[in-house]
Amino acid sequence: MIRYIVLIKFKPGIEEAVIDSLFDALAELGNQIAGMRGFDGGVSVSPEKLEQGFTHGFCIDFDDARARDAYLVHPAHQALGAELVKAADGEISGLIVFDLEM
């Protein structure tokens, strides 16, 4: 299994409704991409306060690397990824992507 983790530093002033819409659309990809097990996302609630400005994050579990790779090239993911980059503070530098093999 692959756990795909994304941390996001959104632009100041971005509306929570925009973030919710992006996360809802990402979760919906599970209905289009075989091997995508689910989506969890939201705002950081860490008491440690070590987020370094990264306020939100999400995780997607995939059956395997092949399912994750299909997600990466899927046109809907490509479009949503572009929207996330535009919404992130510093664009691509406002995102961290980390994959774990479980």
Side-chain angles (χ1 to χ4, degrees):
M1 183 185 90
I2 299 291
R3 179 158 293 151
Y4 180 79
I5 303 163
V6 178
L7 301 178
I8 310 157
K9 186 185 302 185
F10 283 107
K11 290 179 179 173
I14 193 165
E15 293 182 16
E16 205 61 40
V18 171
I19 296 168
D20 291 344
S21 176
L22 287 167
F23 281 9
D24 288 346
L26 286 163
E28 189 63 30
L29 289 177
N31 295 323
Q32 301 175 41
I33 300 171
M36 182 174 161
R37 295 184 181 186
F39 173 92
D40 292 301
V43 66
S44 176
V45 296
S46 174
E48 297 175 296
K49 306 296 182 205
L50 298 173
E51 296 92 347
Q52 300 179 34
F54 290 84
T55 57
H56 293 71
F58 64 87
C59 294
I60 301 173
D61 288 341
F62 294 96
D63 287 342
D64 51 29
R66 190 176 72 190
R68 187 260 334 266
D69 293 348
Y71 163 84
L72 293 176
V73 298
H74 193 281
H77 167 260
Q78 296 278 318
L80 285 168
E83 287 185 50
L84 276 173
V85 168
K86 285 194 297 189
D89 192 17
E91 298 201 348
I92 199 72
S93 67
L95 297 170
I96 294 175
V97 178
F98 196 89
D99 295 6
L100 293 173
E101 191 165 30
M102 307 297 286

